[in-house]
Amino acid sequence: MAKKRILSGMRPTGKLHLGNYAGALENWINLQDEYESYHLVADYHVLTTDLSTNEIYDNTIEMVIDWLSAGLDPQKAPMFRQSQIKEHTELFLIFSMLITKARLERNPTLKEQVRDLNIENLTYGHLGYPVLQAVDILLYKGDVVPVGEDQLPHIEITREIARRFNQQYSPDAPVFPEPEGKITQFARLPGLDGKRMSKSLGNTIFLSDEPDVVIQKLRKAVTDPQKVRKNDPGRPEICLVFTYHQKFNPGETPDIETNCRSGALGCVECKLKCASKINEILAPIIYKRKGYEKNLNSVVEVLNDGEDKARKVAQATMSEVRDKMTMG
Ligand code: TRP
């Protein structure tokens, strides 16, 4: 049986952090054998919130280095920039006719962004963010979309657009699948201050952080405020360091839980344990990153190669679309 297809992507924001890893990247890597995977750099999506293009290229390279260093294999999972495949813009126009303005205005992810970034004058393109994302997924006929939790509303809109297109132009043999989102258990990893881990909040641990940096950062992490002295009993359920243990150190988690509650384990020691576990996971990633940093050409080649593969798929889908619309 043919493998199901994964399509997922990220906006190029530069170096990735543990939240990006736990929320999506790790999942991409784990799924790359079982599925036929395509991964896209959503560089046009950046323009929805920032028109300056100065940093997009460098941020793209940094992000792709992290993808590769963490273990995404370009032979199995082509990686490409959305802006290099012209078919994205063409299908975006068609899809924009298949969804109402009211529906896009109800998108909770958009509402959150408008509130957090204090956006007063929303652009047409920003309102259409999920339409472009639907294009990203459906041009490649993605069946499964592994993403962070905040992206699920966009997958729902993608399903609606796929259904609408199929009904209108191809009722007997659907052109597009209705893709499913796939989230991880740690889809929203807390940052060092307990809020969602996010670069703009300055509460991240980067995949490229050296061991001493990880130790420093964890030392400052917020724990249970009622656990003031070493032997005070703690409440792991409200402690973000405990969440990190659950995610990155599951073997020791039961002991840590017992010893935190009884007061036998102090926060300093607990944080050091956690840092050393995270450093163990990051060590091979940092090692591989250094290799790519010395050979940036190989990263550009990965993208060019991925773009050749992606373009073929996108062109085939577009000719099917034009055909069904009798606009071929
Ligand atoms: N909107 C996604 C995010 O911010 C990035 C993205 C763009 C994406 N296109 C996609 C994710 C297609 C999955 C599939 O994380």
Side-chain angles (χ1 to χ4, degrees), residues 11 13 15 17 20 116-117 193 195-204 206:
R11 275 171 297 168
T13 49
K15 292 183 174 172
H17 53 67
N20 304 125
D116 292 353
L117 304 175
D193 53 2
K195 297 182 188 139
R196 179 170 65 95
M197 190 180 283
S198 153
K199 204 168 186 170
S200 58
L201 298 175
N203 60 4
T204 60
F206 290 103

Side-chain angles (χ1 to χ4, degrees), residues 7-11 40 42 45 82 129 133 136-137 145 147 151 154:
L7 182 298
S8 194
M10 292 183 193
R11 275 171 297 168
L40 126 165
H45 272 118
Q82 185 187 44
Y129 186 114
Q133 185 161 344
D136 297 342
I137 298 167
V145 191
V147 280
Q151 295 299 309
H154 295 165

Side-chain angles (χ1 to χ4, degrees), residues 2 30 32 36 95 102 122 149 154 165 170 188 208 247 256 262 275 292 295 324 326-327:
N30 290 336
Q32 65 185 336
E36 186 185 340
F95 280 2
L122 184 72
E149 198 179 35
H154 295 165
F165 183 95
S170 189
R188 238 173 218 242
S208 45
K247 169 67 197 148
I256 288 168
S262 73
Y292 286 113
N295 186 4
K324 295 288 184 192
T326 61
M327 294 176 102

Side-chain angles (χ1 to χ4, degrees), residues 17 60 78 155 175-176 197 252 275:
H17 53 67
T60 296
I155 313 291
V175 172
F176 295 115
M197 190 180 283
E252 272 187 276

Side-chain angles (χ1 to χ4, degrees), residues 101-266:
K101 169 171 160 283
R103 175 66 182 92
L104 293 172
E105 283 167 347
R106 282 202 304 273
N107 169 17
T109 303
L110 180 74
K111 285 190 191 160
E112 203 176 293
Q113 246 183 16
V114 166
R115 198 186 49 227
D116 292 353
L117 304 175
N118 245 322
I119 295 169
E120 283 176 7
N121 294 305
L122 184 72
T123 66
Y124 172 53
H126 195 172
L127 180 66
Y129 186 114
V131 182
L132 185 57
Q133 185 161 344
V135 170
D136 297 342
I137 298 167
L138 296 175
L139 253 186
Y140 306 92
K141 301 193 180 183
D143 301 297
V144 175
V145 191
V147 280
E149 198 179 35
D150 61 320
Q151 295 299 309
L152 291 180
H154 295 165
I155 313 291
E156 190 47 44
I157 290 174
T158 301
R159 294 166 63 83
E160 290 172 25
I161 291 176
R163 213 174 301 148
R164 189 80 188 85
F165 183 95
N166 291 336
Q167 274 165 2
Q168 181 71 35
Y169 298 111
S170 189
D172 302 325
V175 172
F176 295 115
E178 286 183 34
E180 278 169 38
K182 197 178 176 83
I183 59 169
T184 52
Q185 189 191 348
F186 293 90
R188 238 173 218 242
L189 195 74
L192 294 157
D193 53 2
K195 297 182 188 139
R196 179 170 65 95
M197 190 180 283
S198 153
K199 204 168 186 170
S200 58
L201 298 175
N203 60 4
T204 60
I205 295 175
F206 290 103
L207 295 185
S208 45
D209 278 343
E210 296 284 349
D212 55 326
V213 175
V214 173
I215 293 170
Q216 282 305 326
K217 284 185 172 177
L218 269 172
R219 193 169 283 160
K220 292 195 208 119
V222 195
T223 55
D224 180 354
Q226 284 179 20
K227 187 167 164 67
V228 182
R229 272 172 294 268
K230 175 178 181 296
N231 298 113
D232 291 345
R235 295 170 295 171
E237 67 277 8
I238 63 155
C239 179
L240 71 95
V241 178
F242 186 69
T243 310
Y244 293 174
H245 277 294
Q246 287 178 309
K247 169 67 197 148
F248 300 108
N249 189 17
E252 272 187 276
T253 301
D255 281 352
I256 288 168
E257 175 161 15
T258 311
N259 295 335
C260 171
R261 279 193 206 289
S262 73
L265 178 66

Side-chain angles (χ1 to χ4, degrees), residues 268-318:
V268 175
E269 191 189 342
C270 178
K271 286 173 168 181
L272 281 174
K273 269 181 195 291
C274 184
S276 80
K277 208 65 204 177
I278 289 175
N279 283 332
E280 238 174 69
I281 294 167
L282 296 186
I285 302 178
I286 292 172
Y287 179 80
K288 282 177 81 180
R289 163 174 269 280
K290 288 184 177 145
Y292 286 113
E293 282 172 350
K294 283 200 208 96
N295 186 4
L296 289 177
N297 272 343
S298 66
V299 182
V300 176
E301 264 166 40
V302 163
L303 284 173
N304 290 339
D305 191 49
E307 283 152 15
D308 287 343
K309 291 182 181 147
R311 196 171 290 117
K312 289 204 181 84
V313 180
Q315 284 171 347
T317 305
M318 267 324 291

